[in-house]
Amino acid sequence: MPSVSAPMPSTSAPSAAFKDVIDVVNYDCVNIVCHVPNNFDPNLTNLTGMLYDKLMTRTVTACGNNPLVTPGDPSKSAILQLVNHECPTLVMPEGCMEDPCVPAEDITVITDWINAGAPQ
């Protein structure tokens, strides 16, 4: 009987890098003049290189106090819950009536990055 080899683990890079996430956040959260200095908290601009820390440490009360990003677990990442209408009293972008409120490609970038462990 021929033996069956186990599949080799993937050694490829994550399909989405943090630089891709920065682009998505800039387009969907910052460029629409929401999460910028002196407007909605948190400020998600990456001018000081602090975006990664904010995504990892900020929690969202309206999403069960889940952090914006839970590495390896998109279902517990408030950044995705907010755009997918999964938080009872809050949706992002503010006032959005569509579901989802962010382009599917952008949600995929963030989801893939979180699934990869949210590497910096």
Side-chain angles (χ1 to χ4, degrees):
M1 175 179 277
S3 65
V4 177
S5 299
M8 295 296 293
S10 173
T11 57
S12 63
S15 58
F18 184 58
K19 67 177 182 57
D20 300 318
V21 173
I22 292 171
D23 292 342
V24 167
V25 169
N26 281 336
Y27 180 78
D28 295 321
C29 309
V30 174
N31 285 345
I32 57 174
V33 192
C34 286
H35 291 281
V36 295
N38 302 317
N39 204 3
F40 294 108
D41 187 41
N43 169 5
L44 296 178
T45 59
N46 195 43
L47 297 177
T48 60
M50 298 298 294
L51 179 60
Y52 186 83
D53 290 335
K54 289 175 190 175
L55 293 174
M56 294 300 136
T57 60
R58 296 299 298 260
T59 60
V60 179
T61 305
C63 297
N65 277 335
N66 284 335
L68 284 169
V69 171
T70 301
D73 193 349
S75 70
K76 297 286 187 214
S77 297
I79 194 169
L80 292 172
Q81 292 173 309
L82 288 164
V83 298
N84 287 314
H85 295 236
E86 296 172 358
C87 300
T89 60
L90 189 60
V91 65
M92 291 290 139
E94 184 181 56
C96 176
M97 300 304 286
E98 299 173 25
D99 186 10
C101 294
V102 171
E105 305 82 39
D106 294 352
I107 292 171
T108 298
V109 166
I110 293 173
T111 302
D112 289 351
W113 174 70
I114 291 171
N115 276 327
Q120 188 172 6

